[in-house]
Amino acid sequence: MQKSAQLSESLEDYLEVILGLERENKVARAKDIAQKLGIQPGSVTGGLKSLVEKNLINYEPYSFITLTAEGARIAKTITRRHRVLKDFLLKVLQLDEDTAEAAACRMEHAVDELSVERLVDFVEYLFECPRTGDAWIQAFVDYTRSGKKSWEKCAACLDDCRDRHQENRGVPHS
Amino acid sequence: MQKSAQLSESLEDYLEVILGLERENKVARAKDIAQKLGIQPGSVTGGLKSLVEKNLINYEPYSFITLTAEGARIAKTITRRHRVLKDFLLKVLQLDEDTAEAAACRMEHAVDELSVERLVDFVEYLFECPRTGDAWIQAFVDYTRSGKKSWEKCAACLDDCRDRHQENRGVPHS
DNA sequence: CACAAAAGTTAGGTACACCAAACAATATGA
DNA sequence: TCATATTGTTTGGTGTACCTAACTTTTGTG
């Protein structure tokens, strides 16, 4: 199990869509990979050969494609990065579906594992902490939409926040 | 002023370091660009030619290099993306300097302007809102370090938060 | 089974982004 | 000023990643 000699963005994309196709159809086919990546089928063969050399997929010419254990491991971490980033863009920054998807798609190759972990922790904390959570996010959304920076309603907001916390005291999170 | 036909990551990097060098030394020189980008000087010339063709830098062989108005405009948006992302990684996710710098460097090419704006708004809101701010961030840091998910101290935390807000009532933010 | 359609591969070509090494221009300082 | 060091460019080459078009294999259908 050699140290995975870091992949190009392109090869990471191949692994990600192969994982998706495996989940959809049990196996991946070159045509579907091309279609999902928005490239020509002729371009796929070369990528597959690279992945075979790196022992990340099981594949022989004219046959279908599956991930090796190592390939699946990598594909899952990339897919997770994508999911975490999109979640943040969508739920916290409140970007629309298309913008979030596009940005996540390009960011997933740029962030290291530590940063992803930290982002997961942050988003989780943000949603679970009584001082923030859905209500706070909603306040941020309202603020973003209205464009005003007034903290007028803060006292009420904080009281409300505290009341909610007391109601839920001791109730564990799902 | 034609629509800037989106640049490669590589050319964006050239613009960014040229802006940095202009700020440091008034003008940029090929050698310093190479050094900052960690590439060989011979590789720089080609990049500079591309940027000249796109009217983003003023440059002739053997002369020094400056940004055109359009080049400066683009360089500044990239530099700002870098700064905003690093700020988030550093101050909110509490990553260390090197990790934040490296991730920001790679992410800056992946995010669109809307997402950057939203991230700026979010970070600003997070720091200014009485329900969050430095104290909340500190609580997140403690939580991250300790690894526990208990909300035991929430009541006290919220009281504290409310008290602080009442003290500062009406005081505008700097 | 045979043959057409679908899927996949190969071959040749483009563009980008880098390298190393040879070469050219400029700058410095004795 | 002139030799040399520094800086910058050119050339030829590598690797990646894509394209199109021609070709091959597989598959499905009568």
Side-chain angles (χ1 to χ4, degrees):
Chain A
M1 202 119 311
Q2 78 285 349
K3 170 180 289 181
S4 44
Q6 94 160 357
L7 296 168
S8 65
E9 294 194 9
S10 171
L11 293 186
E12 286 189 351
D13 282 334
Y14 281 100
L15 289 182
E16 199 182 6
V17 310
I18 292 169
L19 180 63
L21 288 167
E22 268 192 356
R23 284 173 173 167
E24 268 179 54
N25 313 329
K26 303 286 183 198
V27 296
R29 289 180 313 162
K31 188 209 171 187
D32 297 326
I33 295 171
Q35 189 252 305
K36 288 229 180 194
L37 289 174
I39 62 179
Q40 294 309 113
S43 308
V44 172
T45 314
L48 297 181
K49 284 180 179 168
S50 291
L51 293 171
V52 166
E53 264 168 35
K54 293 170 165 42
N55 272 299
L56 301 176
I57 59 171
N58 306 115
Y59 158 79
E60 277 171 81
Y62 299 102
S63 83
F64 44 71
I65 300 136
T66 55
L67 294 164
T68 63
E70 178 65 1
R73 191 188 63 73
I74 296 172
K76 280 171 194 165
T77 78
I78 296 158
T79 302
R80 174 161 180 266
R81 291 207 285 249
H82 182 107
R83 187 163 33 77
V84 168
L85 286 164
K86 186 170 171 184
D87 223 51
F88 174 71
L89 297 168
L90 216 48
K91 295 186 187 164
V92 180
L93 297 194
Q94 300 281 321
L95 293 164
D96 64 272
E97 172 67 28
D98 291 347
T99 307
E101 177 61 30
C105 224
R106 280 167 298 137
M107 289 169 83
E108 72 192 18
H109 307 292
V111 295
D112 58 296
E113 291 311 313
L114 173 59
S115 304
V116 176
E117 287 317 315
R118 199 58 67 86
L119 185 58
V120 170
D121 288 349
F122 174 75
V123 173
E124 198 175 87
Y125 190 88
L126 190 69
F127 277 92
E128 287 190 8
C129 174
R131 260 169 77 170
T132 47
D134 291 322
W136 182 89
I137 296 279
Q138 190 54 50
F140 167 63
V141 175
D142 294 344
Y143 152 80
T144 302
R145 295 224 174 103
S146 72
K148 9 175 235 238
K149 296 201 181 189
S150 125
W151 305 111
E152 262 169 40
K153 290 183 288 183
C154 279
C157 175
L158 285 165
D159 282 341
D160 195 56
C161 178
R162 191 165 195 290
D163 292 347
R164 242 180 311 103
H165 175 60
Q166 287 184 327
E167 277 164 26
N168 298 334
R169 180 168 280 177
V171 179
H173 276 276
S174 57
Chain B
M1 200 122 312
Q2 79 283 349
K3 170 180 289 181
S4 46
Q6 91 161 358
L7 296 167
S8 64
E9 295 193 9
S10 171
L11 293 186
E12 286 188 352
D13 282 334
Y14 282 101
L15 290 182
E16 199 182 7
V17 310
I18 291 168
L19 179 62
L21 288 167
E22 269 192 355
R23 285 174 174 167
E24 268 179 54
N25 314 329
K26 302 285 181 201
V27 296
R29 290 180 314 162
K31 188 211 172 185
D32 297 326
I33 296 171
Q35 189 252 305
K36 288 229 182 195
L37 288 174
I39 62 178
Q40 295 309 114
S43 308
V44 172
T45 313
L48 296 180
K49 284 180 180 168
S50 290
L51 292 171
V52 167
E53 264 168 36
K54 292 170 164 44
N55 273 297
L56 300 176
I57 58 171
N58 307 115
Y59 158 79
E60 277 172 80
Y62 298 102
S63 82
F64 44 69
I65 301 136
T66 55
L67 294 164
T68 63
E70 177 64 1
R73 192 189 61 74
I74 296 172
K76 280 171 193 164
T77 78
I78 297 159
T79 302
R80 174 161 182 266
R81 290 207 286 251
H82 183 105
R83 189 164 30 77
V84 167
L85 287 164
K86 186 170 172 184
D87 223 49
F88 174 71
L89 297 168
L90 217 48
K91 295 187 186 162
V92 180
L93 298 194
Q94 300 281 321
L95 293 164
D96 64 274
E97 171 67 28
D98 291 347
T99 307
E101 177 60 29
C105 222
R106 279 169 297 139
M107 288 168 85
E108 72 193 18
H109 308 292
V111 295
D112 58 296
E113 290 311 313
L114 174 59
S115 305
V116 176
E117 287 318 315
R118 201 55 71 84
L119 185 58
V120 170
D121 289 348
F122 174 76
V123 173
E124 197 175 88
Y125 190 88
L126 189 70
F127 277 93
E128 286 190 9
C129 174
R131 259 169 77 171
T132 47
D134 290 324
W136 184 89
I137 296 278
Q138 190 54 52
F140 167 63
V141 174
D142 294 344
Y143 152 81
T144 302
R145 297 227 172 101
S146 71
K148 5 175 236 235
K149 297 201 182 189
S150 125
W151 305 110
E152 261 171 41
K153 290 184 287 183
C154 279
C157 175
L158 285 164
D159 282 341
D160 195 56
C161 176
R162 191 165 194 289
D163 291 348
R164 238 178 316 101
H165 175 60
Q166 285 183 328
E167 278 164 26
N168 297 335
R169 180 168 282 175
V171 179
H173 276 277
S174 57

